Amino acid sequence: MDLTGKCVLVGVTGGIAAYKTCTLVSSLRKQGAEVCVAMTKNATEFVSPLTFETLSANKVTVETFDPKREWEVEHIALAKKADVCVIAPCTADFAAKLANGIADDFLSTTVMACTCPVLLAPAMNTNMLNSAAYRANESVLRERGVRFAETGSGRLACGDTGNGRMAEPEDIEGQVIDLLFPNKDYVGKTVLITAGGTIEPIDPVRFIGNRSSGKMGAALAKAATDRGAKVILVCGNVTVNIPEGRYERIDVTTTRDMYDAVMANYERADVIVKAAAPCDFRPVAVAENKIKSDKPLSVKFEKTEDIAEAVGLVKGDRKLVVFAAETTNLERNAAEKLAKKHADIVVANDVTQEGAGFGTDTNIATIVSESGAESLPKMSKSQLADIILDRAIGK
Ligand SMILES: Cc1cc2nc3c(=O)[nH]c(=O)nc-3n(C[C@H](O)[C@H](O)[C@H](O)COP(=O)(O)O)c2cc1C
């Protein structure tokens, strides 16, 4: 799972199961999440902060009144930053504090300030777990929307056998991921996405290309996968990092290659998003040898394949989303493109505007469909990706 861009706050409290949290932290970090560990003072008796610092590649906070603190009000900053907060292990003591609004150390204060989902992974002796006090605290917390990673049964560290073992790190991680990506409306769907620019050779060393970075296509691929889709990514020349193994990736060079890849695979897709910038022209002839640079050069170009139009003609019930980089008459040109390409959605952007178009992390788009034009404010490409995926399934 690609957790890049997500921040997980891992709270560790004073139980023997704290050693298992090392595996959780390490795994979340390996998947790209930013992991911020905060520990109670008692937790540091079980595992050293240095261990979590090394595994998370991040500072570990224990003290509220740390003279070396990085931010002015650190517990609030961390609470605001976290996308999910998980307490593993969660002691009976810590559950009691949360249930009663006691904020007397860094971790309890931070968790109280969290507005993100909170997941507790309790671990304790069976009699503590069954005690009226713990049961009452757990039920108060559940009523408030706090989630629980259920304890398991077995031999406990204290020598007793029974319920109270902390859930396994992979189960806790699964719940963390579910909380990070609650929207699964693309489960069972396949999305074919084209990304990046194509390049057309002039001679063995020179080519014509464009400035497409592949960022919009990569954001769409990530968003669709996060929502449960299988993604076929037809990838031209990209400068953005594409995580390995997450998508069925088909690398292409020229517009003809991209056309072939799309036409060979579109039938498997429910939604086709053409976020690539294929070259519209290619040299009529490619020189066999490197063209000498001693004379001026003139190259004759011909039109390349129109991939969107070709898909539009055969797509059937599949949804087709195309992009339109415009410099004038945005809405009119987009509406014309919608009709000409038999597309369902045109995402038009005025590439002359600051914060829109190639290479940027943001976009300013107008979504044009049969139901009209929707002008969106400047937003990140990942936010725009989610809106495009919403509209493609009628949301
Ligand atoms: C060896 C040892 C293991 C412990 N394991 C647990 C445990 O699994 N669950 C629990 O609720 N308390 C456990 N405790 C008791 C807690 O450490 C104690 O209640 C402490 O005050 C919790 O502090 P904290 O909630 O601030 O981390 C254990 C204590 C010791 C000495």
Side-chain angles (χ1 to χ4, degrees):
M1 191 81 195
D2 178 15
L3 303 181
T4 313
K6 299 288 182 190
C7 174
V8 183
L9 165 59
V10 179
V12 187
T13 67
I16 194 76
Y19 79 93
K20 287 191 188 175
T21 309
C22 298
T23 312
L24 175 69
V25 168
S26 163
S27 178
L28 290 169
R29 172 83 196 125
K30 275 190 195 141
Q31 293 172 81
E34 180 181 1
V35 184
C36 300
V37 177
M39 304 174 77
T40 62
K41 208 158 186 311
N42 290 326
T44 66
E45 299 287 336
F46 295 85
V47 177
S48 142
L50 182 64
T51 306
F52 285 118
E53 239 158 45
T54 311
L55 293 172
S56 67
N58 225 338
K59 179 184 156 237
V60 170
T61 316
V62 180
E63 303 283 352
T64 313
F65 303 103
D66 180 356
K68 288 184 281 172
R69 69 179 183 268
E70 286 181 359
W71 303 293
E72 206 37 53
V73 190
E74 198 169 8
H75 59 278
I76 302 296
L78 191 51
K80 278 190 187 155
K81 192 174 170 189
D83 296 301
V84 162
C85 166
V86 53
I87 310 295
C90 178
T91 56
D93 171 65
F94 197 76
K97 277 188 188 174
L98 287 188
N100 291 286
I102 295 170
D104 66 350
D105 64 2
F106 181 81
L107 183 58
S108 53
T109 314
T110 304
V111 180
M112 210 165 155
C114 278
T115 52
C116 63
V118 174
L119 172 69
L120 304 186
M124 65 197 74
N125 166 272
T126 311
N127 292 340
M128 288 171 83
L129 190 78
N130 291 335
S131 67
Y134 175 75
R135 287 283 162 223
N137 290 332
E138 183 182 316
S139 109
V140 163
L141 291 167
R142 281 188 194 271
E143 268 169 37
R144 288 185 197 149
V146 171
R147 275 75 157 192
F148 282 77
E150 301 301 334
T151 49
S153 291
R155 202 182 128 77
L156 306 175
C158 58
D160 290 359
T161 301
N163 194 4
R165 283 165 67 97
M166 186 173 86
E168 292 306 319
E170 48 282 16
D171 298 333
I172 301 172
E173 183 183 296
Q175 289 198 45
V176 167
I177 290 170
D178 284 349
L179 290 171
L180 286 171
F181 304 109
N183 191 357
K184 290 287 172 206
D185 51 3
Y186 268 72
V187 169
K189 292 194 194 310
T190 300
V191 183
L192 187 150
I193 297 164
T194 65
T198 60
I199 60 176
E200 302 293 342
I202 296 171
D203 70 13
V205 295
R206 301 183 181 91
F207 61 83
I208 171 172
N210 58 58
R211 295 185 196 280
S212 173
S213 60
K215 280 185 179 171
M216 193 63 236
L220 280 154
K222 180 173 184 332
T225 310
D226 289 349
R227 290 165 71 158
K230 172 187 164 55
V231 168
I232 305 168
L233 185 64
V234 178
C235 207
N237 189 34
V238 294
T239 52
V240 69
N241 180 40
I242 309 270
E244 268 178 44
R246 240 194 136 189
Y247 317 119
E248 181 182 329
R249 177 173 168 168
I250 304 167
D251 286 309
V252 296
T253 305
T254 64
T255 298
R256 175 79 218 188
D257 297 341
M258 187 171 273
Y259 171 87
D260 287 344
V262 171
M263 296 315 277
N265 290 286
Y266 80 90
E267 282 183 336
R268 291 195 284 144
D270 303 283
V271 176
I272 301 146
V273 189
K274 282 212 60 276
C279 276
D280 300 308
F281 304 100
R282 75 179 142 236
V284 172
V286 180
E288 211 175 299
N289 298 311
K290 186 180 168 203
I291 299 167
K292 294 278 175 226
S293 55
D294 52 354
K295 304 196 276 284
L297 174 69
S298 91
V299 180
K300 194 162 182 233
F301 289 99
E302 64 184 12
K303 275 286 293 154
T304 53
E305 294 72 17
D306 188 327
I307 306 170
E309 197 169 290
V311 178
L313 287 174
V314 294
K315 75 181 183 72
D317 291 339
R318 296 167 191 85
K319 298 290 175 202
L320 175 61
V321 181
V322 301
F323 278 71
E326 302 288 348
T327 50
T328 51
N329 298 325
L330 190 84
E331 272 183 41
R332 204 186 65 210
N333 291 347
E336 275 173 23
K337 194 163 185 179
L338 188 77
K340 186 164 176 256
K341 314 277 178 185
H342 300 100
D344 298 278
I345 292 171
V346 173
V347 183
N349 53 344
D350 178 350
V351 285
T352 59
Q353 275 186 280
E354 204 185 315
F358 292 160
T360 59
D361 289 321
T362 55
N363 219 336
I364 307 166
T366 298
I367 294 191
V368 178
S369 67
E370 235 185 13
S371 47
E374 179 187 4
S375 291
L376 299 169
K378 180 169 155 180
M379 61 180 68
S380 70
K381 286 186 172 170
S382 54
Q383 285 172 315
L384 178 61
D386 268 320
I387 295 178
I388 293 167
L389 294 174
D390 282 349
R391 301 298 176 266
I393 54 167
K395 276 185 154 182

